[in-house]
Amino acid sequence: MSMNTVPERLAALRAAMDANGVDLYLIPVGDPHSSEYLPDHYTSLTYFSGFHGENSNFVVTRTESALWADGRYFVQAEKEIAGTEIKLQRMGEPGVPTVEEYCADALPEGGVLGLCGLTASCQLVRSVQKALDAKHGTIKTLNLEDELWTEGRPALPDTPAWILPKEYAGFSPAEKLDQLRSKLKELGCTAQFVGKLDNLAWLLNLRAMDIECTPYAMAYCYVTGDRAVLFINTRRLGAEAAAELKENGVEIAEYDDVLTFLAAETEAQTVLADPASVNYAVYETLRNNPVLTVKDEADPLLPMKGVKNETELNHNREAHLRDAVAMVRFQIELEERLAAGEELTELTVDEILHKYRSAQDKFIVESFGTIAAYGGNAAMMHYHATPEDHAVLEKKGFLLVDSGATYMDGTTDITRTYPLGPLTEDEKRFYTWTLQSHIDLAKAVWLDYCECKMIDTIAREPLWRHLINYRCGTGHSVSFVGNVHEGPHALNSRNTTRMRPGMVVTDEPGVYETDLVGIRIENELVCVHKADNQYGTFLAFRPLTFVPIATSPVVPGILTKDEIEWLNAYHREVFTKLAPRLTEEERDWLAKKCAAIGA
């Protein structure tokens, strides 16, 4: 059977479901480590559905199929599944069932749902099983993805693994293991299974390039009071890295042996396993070993690495300044080439950015695929230009550029919306309101009992006044020399974490009007201690990002006096920090961009 199109792949999947006695098959966006960005080997949802987004699930029944996408991807998903049988389920919209509700409704009485235990988290399987109980449904672990996707499937990644030096990380792997063991003791546990790559990378200072734009190694770690066993493809671990791990008390085992090892473990332990991040196959193996008591707890490594230590913060500040120099040089070249009448496209933007970022000291890789979106394309929050589908830049409207890089000493994420020429009155207003939202969050002060979801509303209020909202969070945590989205904190309507000094978060409100315009202004911020008094502990933000923000689109009379003062002070700091790193010509350009504005 041909397997070149989505309908052909769905037909093959249904035939395999039939052969295995399965009524429904669930494919999440996932790999064995609950990663947000997946190695190409694990992009099964894309292979079977054609959709390229994150945070998604795909369910196939005998007669229909449905794809769940969040608000960032509504427009993109519609385009990518157009012409197929797949029905888009817009997550969070009124009347749209959850994936669990859909499965329960679609499953016949006593039916069977199939999924791959390695690529589904324990938490997902549990929530689906709970929904299926009303139908007396069962879950069968299969791996139809491996069975059917054989031709042209990318291999498992095996890039060279290395250890981030303590001079950047602040602590050695041995010191971090001691910190984790102390935390486990507080939680009444004697061991932990670490499955998430970002947590493992932080714990052992382990890095590689297994995921595009994300310097992590596909690996697991089993930590007890006196052992730490790293499961990794040992061929990719150089002698130097292996020796350093050994010096830090880390044993090394083969990646593929993890389930066998856990099943054969004979030392009694109370093992912390986070159902949200440990895959179902590993979780069940732990649970089925009689000497292991599995304790469901949120992974303590997440808050531990979410608060950056002083060494990380100092390096991160320096990385952001080098990145800012690259952004300045990018903008200068962009403006000069447009002024000269050269035809530039969204793809050109990516090329110019890479040229200047890769020239910076300690550059490793872009921290995510650059989003360069002109005009109406920017209304798609995660739009990506391709050689087949991209826009030519014109001398009017806005160009949105969301980009970043990972260096040996930090990870950056920045968005600027550049005016390329005349703007409509609506474009100017949308831009000014977005800037107002950005500033209001950047200058916010709050008591330390406030949860992230409360702080999120500070950024939205200026847009809410005009009955506008954006279907994504206001900000996310950023790793140190790692993935551009981490946790535990994020500024959105759901996150109940309390910000703590040392936490890094983005400030990126926006306006997205379908097919018309997309505007976003983003800086990274670090949470700092503001003051203690009789009312409690006050916290605030300080920028990590120092790159000029376009002021020419600002509509007079909208920004308050305090907001204008913040913007002018920010631009003074941008100039002070960057001027010594630039040529005289570049400094003259920067001075104009950082010029103070009035009311």
Side-chain angles (χ1 to χ4, degrees):
M1 175 190 278
S2 168
M3 293 272 287
N4 295 325
T5 67
V6 166
E8 289 167 341
R9 291 168 184 175
L10 290 177
L13 179 57
R14 287 191 172 109
M17 288 164 57
D18 198 41
N20 285 277
V22 169
D23 300 288
L24 275 69
Y25 199 76
L26 169 61
I27 303 176
V29 166
D31 67 359
H33 306 279
S34 297
S35 303
E36 178 184 14
Y37 299 112
L38 307 180
D40 290 341
H41 179 81
Y42 286 107
T43 53
S44 302
L45 185 144
T46 301
Y47 177 78
F48 286 101
S49 72
F51 173 63
H52 289 78
E54 307 150 29
N55 186 33
S56 181
N57 287 293
F58 184 47
V59 175
V60 179
T61 77
R62 298 291 178 86
T63 56
E64 62 182 30
S65 52
L67 173 79
W68 279 258
D70 67 36
R72 297 171 297 169
Y73 294 105
F74 289 171
V75 177
Q76 178 184 326
E78 283 174 355
K79 289 185 176 181
E80 290 184 337
I81 66 174
T84 72
E85 66 169 60
I86 303 167
K87 294 175 183 172
L88 177 61
Q89 307 290 338
R90 294 173 176 80
M91 290 162 63
E93 295 285 283
V96 174
T98 63
V99 66
E100 293 88 350
E101 290 166 345
Y102 179 93
C103 289
D105 185 57
L107 193 78
E109 181 70 26
V112 179
L113 179 143
L115 50 76
C116 172
L118 281 170
T119 57
S121 72
C122 178
Q123 186 176 66
L124 175 64
V125 177
R126 279 184 184 172
S127 63
V128 171
Q129 181 62 68
K130 187 177 178 182
L132 300 186
D133 285 346
K135 290 274 189 79
H136 303 99
T138 55
I139 290 177
K140 185 175 185 178
T141 53
L142 299 162
N143 197 339
L144 300 185
E145 294 95 321
D146 279 6
E147 183 182 316
L148 297 172
W149 186 15
T150 54
E151 191 177 337
R153 186 173 188 178
L156 278 168
D158 60 354
T159 59
W162 51 280
I163 307 300
L164 184 70
K166 179 179 174 178
E167 67 178 278
Y168 296 120
F171 296 100
S172 68
E175 289 169 327
K176 289 180 176 179
L177 284 164
D178 284 346
Q179 292 170 20
L180 175 60
R181 288 175 177 128
S182 296
K183 192 67 185 173
L184 290 173
K185 198 171 180 181
E186 288 174 26
L187 295 169
C189 298
T190 60
Q192 180 179 345
F193 185 84
V194 183
K196 272 190 77 66
L197 302 186
D198 51 341
N199 292 346
L200 178 58
W202 181 86
L203 178 66
L204 300 183
N205 294 341
L206 183 69
R207 299 294 192 276
M209 279 310 306
D210 282 3
I211 300 175
E212 187 178 4
C213 297
T214 308
Y216 293 153
M218 298 286 284
Y220 303 98
C221 192
Y222 181 65
V223 181
T224 70
D226 56 7
R227 293 178 79 192
V229 184
L230 172 67
F231 298 89
I232 190 171
N233 177 345
T234 56
R235 291 190 304 276
R236 48 199 296 221
L237 204 56
E240 191 179 328
E244 189 169 347
L245 287 167
K246 190 175 179 182
E247 284 168 21
N248 280 270
V250 180
E251 302 170 42
I252 299 165
E254 287 295 339
Y255 181 78
D256 290 336
D257 292 344
V258 64
L259 295 179
T260 308
F261 175 95
L262 295 174
E265 181 66 2
T266 56
E267 192 174 345
Q269 302 285 355
T270 300
V271 185
L272 187 150
D274 186 347
S277 60
V278 173
N279 70 57
Y280 185 65
V282 163
Y283 191 93
E284 286 298 286
T285 304
L286 288 167
R287 201 175 67 165
N288 291 334
N289 185 328
V291 305
L292 302 179
T293 303
V294 182
K295 192 166 183 179
D296 291 4
E297 289 277 356
D299 193 328
L301 289 166
L302 199 59
M304 289 168 72
K305 78 183 178 72
V307 176
K308 306 296 181 276
N309 63 55
E310 277 306 310
T311 301
E312 290 172 320
L313 286 173
N314 287 333
H315 281 298
N316 213 358
R317 290 184 185 102
E318 172 61 26
H320 275 79
L321 293 179
R322 291 199 312 278
D323 197 66
V325 170
M327 290 297 295
V328 164
R329 290 176 176 154
F330 153 74
Q331 190 177 349
I332 291 172
E333 179 168 330
L334 179 75
E335 291 179 355
E336 286 176 348
R337 290 172 68 176
L338 282 170
E342 187 177 339
E343 182 177 286
L344 303 180
T345 72
E346 294 164 331
L347 298 175
T348 319
V349 170
D350 196 8
E351 293 164 9
I352 303 171
L353 274 167
H354 179 74
K355 176 172 73 173
Y356 289 115
R357 279 209 169 99
S358 60
Q360 294 297 320
D361 189 31
K362 299 184 175 70
F363 174 82
I364 298 175
V365 70
E366 279 79 8
S367 53
F368 55 98
T370 295
I371 299 170
Y374 175 67
N377 287 343
M380 291 183 277
M381 280 171 257
H382 283 236
Y383 168 81
H384 281 282
T386 65
E388 300 77 32
D389 185 14
H390 59 268
V392 174
L393 307 187
E394 300 177 45
K395 291 184 180 179
K396 65 175 184 177
F398 281 122
L399 168 68
L400 184 153
V401 181
D402 187 352
S403 65
T406 291
Y407 303 89
M408 281 288 288
D409 54 354
T411 298
T412 70
D413 183 4
I414 174 175
T415 306
R416 290 294 182 266
T417 302
Y418 302 105
L420 300 188
L423 302 170
T424 67
E425 291 306 309
D426 277 348
E427 286 171 333
K428 290 176 185 176
R429 276 195 297 271
F430 291 153
Y431 183 91
T432 308
W433 295 339
T434 300
L435 178 55
Q436 190 170 36
S437 292
H438 175 93
I439 293 171
D440 283 7
L441 181 63
K443 68 183 189 65
V445 177
W446 66 96
L447 279 162
D448 66 354
Y449 66 75
C450 292
E451 297 175 344
C452 281
K453 64 181 183 180
M454 299 163 71
I455 302 169
D456 171 72
T457 62
I458 296 170
R460 293 182 191 271
E461 198 272 337
L463 289 169
W464 285 351
R465 268 183 252 150
H466 306 285
L467 307 182
I468 293 175
N469 194 25
Y470 41 96
R471 294 189 186 97
C472 58
T474 298
H476 56 85
S477 175
V478 180
S479 284
F480 178 75
V481 194
N483 54 330
V484 78
H485 298 150
E486 59 165 22
H489 54 289
L491 301 178
N492 59 44
S493 61
R494 304 171 303 282
N495 194 289
T496 56
T497 307
R498 296 179 185 180
M499 293 294 298
R500 291 167 56 197
M503 285 182 165
V504 173
V505 73
T506 61
D507 172 6
E508 49 180 312
V511 171
Y512 308 95
E513 294 293 311
T514 304
D515 297 328
L516 291 176
V517 67
I519 294 162
R520 180 161 67 249
I521 300 167
E522 174 187 21
N523 281 350
E524 283 187 40
L525 309 174
V526 60
C527 178
V528 296
H529 177 265
K530 179 81 171 175
D532 287 311
N533 61 21
Q534 69 268 34
Y535 303 109
T537 297
F538 288 89
L539 303 176
F541 287 126
R542 282 283 299 137
L544 284 172
T545 308
F546 290 98
V547 173
I549 297 169
T551 55
S552 61
V554 173
V555 178
I558 293 179
L559 298 183
T560 67
K561 182 171 178 266
D562 284 349
E563 289 162 350
I564 290 170
E565 283 179 0
W566 182 94
L567 184 60
N568 289 337
Y570 174 76
H571 277 140
R572 284 194 298 274
E573 196 167 2
V574 169
F575 186 81
T576 301
K577 288 181 181 296
L578 299 190
R581 298 167 183 257
L582 301 173
T583 66
E584 187 175 349
E585 193 177 332
E586 290 165 345
R587 282 196 295 273
D588 290 343
W589 177 93
L590 184 64
K592 294 185 181 76
K593 297 296 179 183
C594 292
I597 65 167

